Amino acid sequence: MPQPLDLMPTLLQGLWVTVQVYLGAAVFVLVCGVVVGSMRSSRHRWLRWPAKGYILGFRGVPALVLLFWFYYVMPAIGLRLPALAAGILALGLNFGAYAAELVRGAIAAVPSGQTEAAIALNMTPMQRMIRVIGPQATLRALPPMGSLNIELMKNTALVFFIGLHDLTFQGRILQNDTQRTVQIFTLALAMYFVLALCIMAASRGLERVMGRGMQGGAR
Amino acid sequence: MQLQWDWSIAMEVLPHLIRGLWVTLLATAGGMTLALALGLMVTMARRARFRLVSWPVGAAIEFVRCTPLLIQLFFVYYLIPDFGWNTPLVTGILVLGIHYSAYTSEVYRAGIDNVPRGQWEAARALNLNRQQTWTRVIIPQAVPPIVPAMGNYLVAMFKDTPLLYAITVQEMLTRATNFSSRVFSTVEAYTLAGVLFLILSLLAAGLIHRAERQLVVRET
């Protein structure tokens, strides 16, 4: 194969691992964000405080330190995680805290008249959340969630440090072997950029679909 | 399952971590200074009426924002030749600054866009020239509201400095790693490094919160 293209098979293998880590962590982040974000917005202290503690703790520590902790320290206390699991867990917990804060903000931004109207309609707190507040908060949370997902995708590169053969890792290996720094890293950067564009497009599409029938779209 | 925590190792690693923390803080301070300066330039370039300036700058910064810092670090580290002055730390500061200028430029843009139109019109009505309009009218109103947002990016950058480990900068995580491989115990070094990061970023977040509140007070 001609010069830059011969690098593609190796880099694409790495890209696949990157996508796996990203998707795994994204699901984790979404669940974490919705559950903890709702807890954080609860009226009950015993739900709100643990959520607050989680957000403060996992947002304050760098993702990389968290990753090292899960991968290198956990075995010392008897819990050995495979690299992929450690990567997904560390990124998921770290970005989950950001997502939770974002969900909290989205819930808080729903006008209080909506809650009052739901109470007036004799809805239970659960119905209120699922039928009235939730759908409106979801629309508000979508755009920042899209940006957060791009940040998450970028940070999947950190799994390089625990030896997962992701795109960054493959790039470094190739660079070590061939010294074709510019070609390799330009291709790798371009691949990450395409991934980011895909996430952006997916996020916009979701906003459009979910904002259907709303006045002024997702606002 | 039990925690193998050894206080004597913990006490031994702490001075190493503190020394690494200085490098971490130095990298953050340098990176943020660069990001603040570059970000403003990017914002101005993107506002340029001349498309040949605004469009490429916009595209480049979008590309920087959408790609991992780690690869950017590797790219620059292995690409630029050794000039003598470019130690790994300088390279790290350079890349951090460029990466975060993508974010700070957005913040500046938002700050400038939030200055009401009437202010521009009033400046023109008072016959102020371009430079006076910017330095006396627009910037003084655009900057204070964006201080908390900039603070958030400062904390974000602080939490991204462990990535400099990849290019052998002797920051906190690098020292933690070196130390733990010497004593064959990872628990103390990584846990303490995490705690130090946590304390500092919580402190910074608290300060930002206070600045935010003060802004609200000033506005009302």
Side-chain angles (χ1 to χ4, degrees):
Chain A
M1 267 190 270
Q3 265 268 322
L5 288 180
D6 59 332
L7 303 163
M8 286 303 270
T10 320
L11 288 178
L12 283 174
Q13 269 174 24
L15 183 65
W16 173 229
V17 175
T18 293
V19 169
Q20 280 176 312
V21 175
Y22 164 67
L23 287 178
V27 172
F28 202 118
V29 166
L30 184 63
V31 174
C32 241
V34 171
V35 171
V36 181
S38 314
M39 281 169 66
R40 180 75 180 76
S41 317
S42 164
R43 281 173 305 146
H44 305 293
R45 242 179 254 165
W46 46 272
L47 279 175
R48 213 165 56 224
W49 286 3
K52 204 171 176 179
Y54 163 81
I55 292 172
L56 281 180
F58 281 95
R59 230 173 36 155
V61 179
L64 187 56
V65 175
L66 217 53
L67 185 65
F68 273 31
W69 209 86
F70 277 108
Y71 193 65
Y72 295 115
V73 180
M74 289 285 250
I77 50 176
L79 218 107
R80 196 171 293 276
L81 289 171
L84 184 65
I88 289 176
L89 197 63
L91 287 173
L93 284 171
N94 186 226
F95 280 84
Y98 288 97
E101 195 56 19
L102 205 152
V103 169
R104 184 199 65 81
I107 291 176
V110 176
S112 59
Q114 297 289 324
T115 312
E116 287 155 18
I119 293 172
L121 288 172
N122 217 9
M123 287 186 171
T124 64
M126 203 61 183
Q127 283 176 321
R128 227 154 60 205
M129 197 64 204
I130 292 174
R131 304 231 181 127
V132 181
I133 311 296
Q136 297 184 61
T138 307
L139 275 183
R140 269 167 226 270
L142 276 179
M145 211 54 155
S147 322
L148 189 71
N149 266 282
I150 291 180
E151 291 299 314
L152 173 64
M153 184 280 294
K154 280 162 56 182
N155 275 275
T156 57
L158 299 187
V159 298
F160 156 83
F161 287 99
I162 57 169
L164 263 179
H165 290 30
D166 76 323
L167 185 49
T168 306
F169 193 93
Q170 302 289 44
R172 264 299 276 128
I173 297 279
L174 278 176
Q175 192 253 345
N176 218 17
D177 291 348
T178 63
Q179 301 294 322
R180 282 149 58 190
T181 310
V182 177
Q183 289 179 9
I184 293 163
F185 288 141
T186 307
L187 274 176
L189 283 172
M191 285 183 183
Y192 277 115
F193 188 60
V194 170
L195 259 181
L197 290 181
C198 291
I199 295 170
M200 252 185 250
S203 163
R204 297 247 166 85
L206 210 59
E207 275 167 49
R208 222 182 14 252
V209 171
M210 301 198 55
R212 211 168 268 163
M214 296 291 288
Q215 224 170 14
R219 223 166 281 276
Chain B
M1 178 173 146
Q2 58 164 11
L3 195 65
Q4 287 141 349
W5 178 272
D6 188 338
W7 276 107
S8 64
I9 294 184
M11 284 298 116
E12 203 186 322
V13 71
L14 205 55
H16 290 273
L17 293 180
I18 301 285
R19 231 170 301 146
L21 183 61
W22 280 116
V23 181
T24 296
L25 290 176
L26 191 63
T28 314
M32 198 62 194
T33 311
L34 190 58
L36 286 176
L38 266 179
L40 189 58
M41 284 190 244
V42 169
T43 313
M44 288 308 177
R46 288 186 86 165
R47 289 179 65 88
R49 250 169 265 141
F50 195 40
R51 286 246 179 90
L52 231 56
V53 175
S54 63
W55 201 84
V57 171
I61 217 69
E62 201 61 37
F63 187 79
V64 168
R65 200 217 321 272
C66 285
T67 49
L69 177 63
L70 183 57
I71 293 250
Q72 292 169 6
L73 278 170
F74 280 141
F75 203 160
V76 176
Y77 182 66
Y78 289 109
L79 195 68
I80 56 173
D82 190 3
F83 295 119
W85 51 264
N86 52 339
T87 57
L89 179 62
V90 173
T91 309
I93 288 175
L94 200 68
V95 178
L96 277 174
I98 294 172
H99 189 83
Y100 273 87
S101 69
Y103 295 93
T104 54
S105 70
E106 275 304 292
V107 178
Y108 281 125
R109 191 189 56 74
I112 293 169
D113 285 353
N114 275 341
V115 176
R117 266 187 73 87
Q119 298 290 325
W120 290 94
E121 287 157 7
R124 170 166 289 183
L126 288 171
N127 214 10
L128 299 181
N129 62 30
R130 257 177 82 80
Q131 198 203 336
Q132 284 171 324
T133 307
W134 277 104
T135 56
R136 307 241 177 114
V137 181
I138 305 305
I139 300 220
Q141 293 184 79
V143 170
I146 62 176
V147 170
M150 288 300 187
N152 285 333
Y153 283 123
L154 177 71
V155 179
M157 183 187 283
F158 173 63
K159 286 185 286 189
D160 263 347
T161 52
L163 267 71
L164 301 185
Y165 167 45
I167 57 168
T168 71
V169 176
Q170 290 291 309
E171 50 73 57
M172 196 149 58
L173 192 68
T174 316
R175 287 181 199 251
T177 306
N178 292 344
F179 182 87
S180 54
S181 58
R182 209 161 56 231
V183 300
F184 300 109
S185 175
T186 54
V187 184
E188 296 83 4
Y190 287 144
T191 308
L192 278 177
V195 169
L196 282 174
F197 269 114
L198 183 62
I199 292 172
L200 278 171
S201 49
L202 285 182
L203 265 175
L207 284 177
I208 294 164
H209 194 69
R210 266 186 59 178
E212 230 166 8
R213 267 211 314 245
Q214 236 157 25
L215 267 175
V216 176
V217 171
R218 247 182 60 165
E219 271 165 18
T220 49

